[in-house]
Amino acid sequence: MNGKRIIIIGATSGIGYEVARIYIERGYTVGLAGRRVERLEEFQASAPGRVHIKRLDVTAEDAPARLEELIDETGGMDIFLLCAGIGKQNLALDSDIEQATLQTNVTGFTRMVVAAYQYFTRKGGGHIAVISSIAGTKGLGAAPSYSASKGFQNLYIDALAQLSRMERRPIAFTDIRPGFVRTDLLNDGKRYPALMSPAYVARQIARAIDRKKRRAIIDGRYALLVFLWRLIPAWLWERLPIRN
């Protein structure tokens, strides 16, 4: 049995679900949280005594308290991985979509990362990993709140990494930025280029966490795309009809 303990928020579907499978197979003691308890119970049944579960909604004010409960039940936390996030294309700027995205990807994200940071501050160190997106590289007209919220996540982790060094806290950070992944997030009938499977992306995520990479763009094709995006001047970017 592996002596390490990992907490994964957003483990009931997509990338988070596949990452959870990896760490359970590795023998970690795993704390899993999400909104669909039945999926969490399946994990718990696969490794009784080693998998602990908690229903948790990052948009709820009691989420940090529920995280603390899960950490206690898991026997502590060495790695914190936040996979929870939502996003949709929203050319019509439907206000409900924009606000729901911000509630999860900004307010909920901040709530959970701060709770993890404070725990590791008390513990004396740890590793915070988050799944953001390459969408945070530039403002995407087809998905304004999504791309903006992912940009927020990138900068927030940058800020906390600086803060931890200022305060001499041994907290590692990994900002994981996948490209298009075949999950429910992109199950909208549109065609997306270079779609990756959740299982493939999960393996890349586990590798990045193992190596404590500060930033990890998944995969090489998207690393090249991000490099090229950054070369595009603002005046030209605003004129590009990027829809998917």
Side-chain angles (χ1 to χ4, degrees), residues 15-237:
I15 297 171
Y17 181 87
E18 295 296 336
V19 174
R21 289 180 57 186
I22 289 173
Y23 282 99
I24 291 171
E25 290 171 2
R26 287 183 175 187
Y28 275 62
T29 300
V30 180
L32 304 176
R35 291 183 296 179
R36 288 183 278 184
V37 177
E38 65 279 1
R39 300 298 298 274
L40 300 177
E41 289 173 342
E42 292 174 12
F43 277 132
Q44 193 171 44
S46 71
R50 197 158 51 79
V51 177
H52 305 271
I53 63 174
K54 183 72 62 176
R55 187 184 185 284
L56 186 152
D57 182 346
V58 300
T59 67
E61 292 186 3
D62 70 345
R66 298 188 73 79
L67 172 62
E68 285 287 346
E69 293 171 2
L70 180 59
I71 292 171
D72 289 343
E73 292 166 11
T74 306
M77 176 172 71
D78 302 302
I79 304 168
F80 172 82
L81 174 60
L82 180 58
C83 301
I86 63 172
K88 289 184 179 180
Q89 290 199 32
N90 190 19
L91 283 79
L93 293 180
D94 181 301
S95 181
D96 289 343
I97 292 174
E98 297 296 278
Q99 294 303 317
T101 302
L102 296 177
Q103 281 297 313
T104 298
N105 296 356
V106 175
T107 303
F109 174 91
T110 305
R111 177 180 285 126
M112 301 316 298
V113 170
V114 167
Y117 186 94
Q118 291 174 338
Y119 171 82
F120 287 136
T121 296
R122 297 193 301 271
K123 181 181 179 233
H127 187 179
I128 294 175
V130 302
I131 297 178
S132 59
S133 171
I134 64 165
T137 307
K138 292 276 193 179
L140 298 172
S145 62
Y146 181 72
S147 58
S149 66
K150 292 302 176 178
F152 170 88
Q153 293 177 1
N154 299 157
L155 288 175
Y156 200 82
I157 292 301
D158 287 349
L160 288 191
Q162 184 186 69
L163 178 62
S164 69
R165 287 183 178 272
M166 288 165 55
E167 297 184 336
R168 293 182 172 84
R169 303 191 189 283
I171 301 175
F173 295 86
T174 299
D175 181 359
I176 301 157
R177 306 177 184 183
F180 292 139
V181 185
R182 192 179 294 110
T183 65
D184 291 342
L185 200 65
L186 298 184
N187 187 21
D188 54 9
K190 297 181 175 64
R191 296 183 65 182
Y192 294 90
L195 271 176
M196 300 178 290
S197 74
Y200 167 76
V201 173
R203 291 193 297 272
Q204 301 303 310
I205 289 171
R207 184 178 303 171
I209 292 173
D210 290 345
R211 297 176 178 177
K212 292 188 176 180
K213 292 189 69 172
R214 178 62 186 79
R215 297 177 189 85
I217 297 175
I218 302 173
D219 58 7
R221 295 166 296 176
Y222 287 104
L224 176 60
L225 178 63
V226 166
F227 173 77
L228 295 174
W229 274 3
R230 287 174 174 156
L231 296 178
I232 299 173
W235 66 266
L236 178 56
W237 180 264

